[in-house]
Amino acid sequence: MELTEAIQEIKKQGYKTTTKRKDMLRFFASADGYRTAKDLIQYLEPAYKGISFDTVYRNLYLFDEVGVLETTELNGEKHFRISCTHQHHHHFICKECGKTKEIEVCPMDEVQQALSNYAIEGHKFEIYGICPICQEA
């Protein structure tokens, strides 16, 4: 998803697209991988002195609910990234830098066979490790 798509989606769902919200989304649109609320606050602090964690988290959870951000948990902390909107895929996520690599393989065919009498409503498949760049560092 691109920045303009994310802003349009927020408007479409009836939420205001303030300058602050656009700046938050701009941060994630330019980030390469998952980032934390703390990363976002450091990015916003020069323009929004004293921005609160409450404001940031409230907007992050709104963005997740609206579907413009994806979340994962790394090292016991929520991380966020701009949502992917193209074909179905999953991610390898570096535990050091948060960068992601798309994985086209999906294990759901096998899972659906193993759970044939269950009503599966969704899934999330992520692989965690250390990317080649962080391994070299």
Side-chain angles (χ1 to χ4, degrees):
M1 179 174 291
E2 294 180 22
L3 177 61
T4 53
E5 290 176 287
I7 292 167
Q8 288 172 353
E9 187 60 30
I10 289 169
K11 282 181 185 177
K12 184 175 132 186
Q13 295 199 30
Y15 296 100
K16 292 180 183 176
T17 52
T18 63
T19 302
K20 190 181 296 180
R21 284 183 174 165
K22 288 177 184 176
D23 287 344
M24 290 176 173
L25 290 170
R26 188 172 291 109
F27 169 74
F28 288 104
S30 66
D32 184 14
Y34 284 91
R35 297 290 174 254
T36 65
K38 187 176 179 181
D39 296 332
L40 177 59
I41 288 173
Q42 289 173 344
Y43 170 80
L44 294 172
E45 185 65 32
Y48 302 97
K49 295 285 184 215
I51 190 166
S52 72
F53 270 102
D54 285 347
T55 298
V56 168
Y57 274 105
R58 188 172 46 257
N59 281 287
L60 288 174
Y61 285 99
L62 169 69
F63 296 158
D64 180 41
E65 183 181 310
V66 169
V68 297
L69 288 185
E70 298 174 359
T71 64
T72 193
E73 194 160 317
L74 289 171
N75 305 320
E77 185 176 13
K78 275 243 191 241
H79 285 61
F80 304 85
R81 69 172 264 139
I82 202 87
S83 291
C84 299
T85 57
H86 53 287
Q87 84 279 2
H88 180 80
H89 67 278
H90 299 283
H91 295 111
F92 169 89
I93 305 167
C94 180
K95 291 170 56 177
E96 294 291 320
C97 67
K99 289 184 181 177
T100 61
K101 177 168 177 41
E102 289 183 9
I103 302 167
E104 302 300 327
V105 175
C106 180
M108 282 309 293
D109 289 337
E110 290 180 36
V111 171
Q112 286 177 321
Q113 289 175 358
L115 300 171
S116 60
N117 26 332
Y118 290 80
I120 298 171
E121 296 179 352
H123 73 282
K124 186 173 183 177
F125 179 69
E126 297 173 337
I127 297 175
Y128 303 97
I130 310 297
C131 72
I133 294 170
C134 291
Q135 287 179 50
E136 289 179 13

